[in-house]
Amino acid sequence: MIRTDHPEALYVHVPFCRSICAYCDFTHEPYCIERADAWLKALKQELSARVRSASLKTIYLGGGTPTALSLTQLEVLLSMLDPYAEEAEEYTIEVNPETLDEAKAECLARHRINRASIGYQSDNPKLLALMNRHHSYEDTAACMELLRRHGIANLSLDLMYSLPGQTMAQLQQAVYHAMDLKPAHLSLYSLTIEQGTAFAARKLNHLDDDAEADMYEWICRTLPEHGYQQYEISNFALRGYESRHNLMYWNYRDFYGISAGASGKEGLLRYDHGTLKEYLEDPLAVKKILLSEADARFEMVMMSLRLVRGLDRKLFQETFGIDVNEVYGSVISRLLQKGWLKEEERYLACTKKSYEILNTVLEEFLPEE
């Protein structure tokens, strides 16, 4: 039986943006002060009803764009979260460079936020315009300097690759310029075209598989040469600066998911929130999904194999009360023979050659119908 504890991680989704990126399919809408005020009231109701534990290790404010809120609204949001942040080791907020100013940076620091994930994406003006992003490389640099001046020095930059028309030289320049800004963490995501996005409407597409693979291989080879060690399929960090919150997901720990568009997990129960309209009508209404234990075991394997170190056998045993080999012994043996998996101490991990075919590896672990 799966072990359940009170979650030690909290994700809050802020469903507003000042402008909508061409690739984004997350729950969001253009910022409106009245809608944001109504959302804050709904959020207060859900927080008090759903989040039972104040002893959280990590909090993550994502979106959308949390800093798209007005200063007053940001103050209300962070004051609401203050009781949950007292013991948090990592408190992250997502930031778009054009939505941060001196007053907002001061507000973030005053409310114990100690990490920011900044939407950099590229330094190329044409690619930024293609993505409908309204900042420059200089804006990103100024944003980072502003945060550091207020004591928020644990900074992560998001980059995208395989963008329509992007060249290897453009990617390389974007990565080198990102490293010039000395972030502690870098996340690099390949573009996927999702239905309902502006890219899909314009029938744009990512680069072909070979070009995308070449970019990924260059990233994985280059960043470690500059001190950024890969610890997850898309994430690199200076030593000690891995995202503690995201490690909660990848290690299949329970977490609270609050607000429209958010998901949470507690034991075998998953829950998903609906649209902002639905959330404002009833903040406590969620779609509940009860997992079978076989599904939960597969999900833990699926999430953990994204990590370079792989699946923690001890954690699997503690979670499910059974050794992973008792569940997947024949699959593991087969994949070890193929050279797709490797065993190191208490971890079971993908090999370098299997990272780019991770979905194929995971299919081997799927529970039988």
Side-chain angles (χ1 to χ4, degrees):
M1 185 64 185
I2 189 170
R3 189 187 77 176
T4 58
D5 299 308
H6 288 316
E8 295 179 317
L10 167 65
Y11 173 74
V12 179
H13 189 77
V14 182
F16 301 102
C17 292
R18 294 288 174 164
S19 60
I20 306 302
C21 296
Y23 53 79
C24 183
D25 72 328
F26 293 147
T27 298
H28 59 249
E29 63 178 51
Y31 171 78
C32 166
I33 188 168
E34 293 81 10
R35 292 276 279 183
D37 282 340
W39 170 76
L40 284 166
K41 291 178 182 177
L43 188 74
K44 183 177 182 180
Q45 182 182 342
E46 188 189 9
L47 269 174
S48 61
R50 194 179 304 282
V51 183
R52 303 182 301 278
S53 173
S55 57
L56 299 172
K57 289 185 177 178
T58 68
I59 301 174
Y60 194 104
L61 305 183
T65 309
T67 48
L69 298 173
S70 71
L71 177 61
T72 299
Q73 290 168 335
L74 193 59
E75 182 76 46
V76 170
L77 171 62
L78 298 181
S79 296
M80 199 185 303
L81 294 170
D82 278 344
Y84 306 99
E86 291 180 1
E87 299 179 30
E89 300 164 359
E90 181 185 272
Y91 191 175
T92 302
I93 188 168
E94 290 183 353
V95 175
N96 269 5
E98 72 273 20
T99 61
L100 189 74
D101 57 26
E102 190 83 37
K104 287 183 181 179
E106 186 278 330
C107 178
L108 302 184
R110 181 161 35 83
H111 286 279
R112 299 191 183 92
I113 285 177
N114 57 18
R115 183 175 185 271
S117 178
I118 300 163
Y120 166 64
Q121 312 309 356
S122 176
D123 67 334
N124 185 281
K126 290 184 178 179
L127 291 175
L128 288 168
L130 182 71
M131 291 183 274
N132 195 36
R133 295 188 65 84
H134 303 281
H135 62 84
S136 64
Y137 175 76
E138 291 74 21
D139 292 332
T140 300
C143 174
M144 294 175 73
E145 174 58 30
L146 184 56
L147 289 165
R148 285 172 171 143
R149 196 161 67 241
H150 286 275
I152 304 173
N154 186 356
L155 303 179
S156 177
L157 292 179
D158 283 357
L159 288 83
M160 295 195 76
Y161 66 95
S162 194
L163 292 162
Q166 186 181 31
T167 65
M168 177 67 85
Q170 288 171 334
L171 169 69
Q172 291 171 342
Q173 177 177 290
V175 170
Y176 283 128
H177 280 175
M179 290 191 291
D180 286 344
L181 299 176
K182 296 181 168 42
H185 187 281
L186 288 163
S187 297
L188 294 102
Y189 302 109
S190 62
L191 174 67
T192 56
I193 305 293
E194 304 290 353
Q195 288 187 349
T197 64
F199 273 173
R202 294 162 62 186
K203 294 183 168 42
L204 293 176
N205 213 336
H206 54 73
L207 302 181
D208 64 56
D209 291 345
D210 288 343
E212 187 173 297
D214 288 344
M215 287 181 168
Y216 182 69
E217 289 169 6
W218 180 85
I219 289 164
C220 293
R221 185 172 64 251
T222 302
L223 290 184
E225 295 173 356
H226 296 266
Y228 294 93
Q229 297 303 315
Q230 185 175 21
Y231 70 100
E232 192 269 346
I233 196 165
S234 301
N235 286 271
F236 302 75
L238 300 179
R239 186 177 299 277
Y241 287 95
E242 298 85 359
S243 170
R244 297 185 186 186
H245 183 83
N246 287 339
L247 282 168
M248 291 281 194
Y249 301 150
W250 295 321
N251 283 313
Y252 205 60
R253 301 296 82 199
D254 288 346
F255 61 96
Y256 296 112
I258 301 299
S259 174
S263 298
K265 184 185 86 71
E266 297 182 45
L268 293 174
L269 176 67
R270 281 194 172 277
Y271 55 90
D272 298 323
H273 292 75
T275 64
L276 179 58
K277 180 177 182 295
E278 292 167 335
Y279 187 71
L280 296 180
E281 291 170 354
D282 184 357
L284 302 184
V286 293
K287 178 184 178 183
K288 295 182 179 180
I289 304 164
L290 190 62
L291 300 171
S292 68
E293 194 146 332
D295 287 337
R297 290 169 179 169
F298 170 74
E299 285 191 353
M300 185 170 189
V301 171
M302 176 179 68
M303 297 303 290
S304 297
L305 287 184
R306 291 182 62 90
L307 293 168
V308 170
R309 76 177 187 191
L311 173 70
D312 185 331
R313 293 174 175 274
K314 182 180 178 182
L315 201 53
F316 189 95
Q317 173 83 45
E318 291 173 353
T319 302
F320 298 107
I322 189 170
D323 186 83
V324 67
N325 273 81
E326 291 186 51
V327 183
Y328 297 113
S330 61
V331 175
I332 291 169
S333 295
R334 186 165 66 250
L335 295 180
L336 287 170
Q337 289 176 354
K338 285 186 175 183
W340 290 0
L341 290 183
K342 60 183 178 180
E343 291 180 296
E344 293 180 356
E345 298 179 4
R346 75 186 209 189
Y347 295 98
L348 182 71
C350 285
T351 58
K352 284 187 177 181
K353 74 175 184 179
S354 68
Y355 241 170
E356 293 181 28
I357 55 165
L358 182 58
N359 288 340
T360 303
V361 175
L362 294 175
E363 285 172 4
E364 299 285 327
F365 289 92
L366 279 170
E368 295 181 5
E369 295 291 336

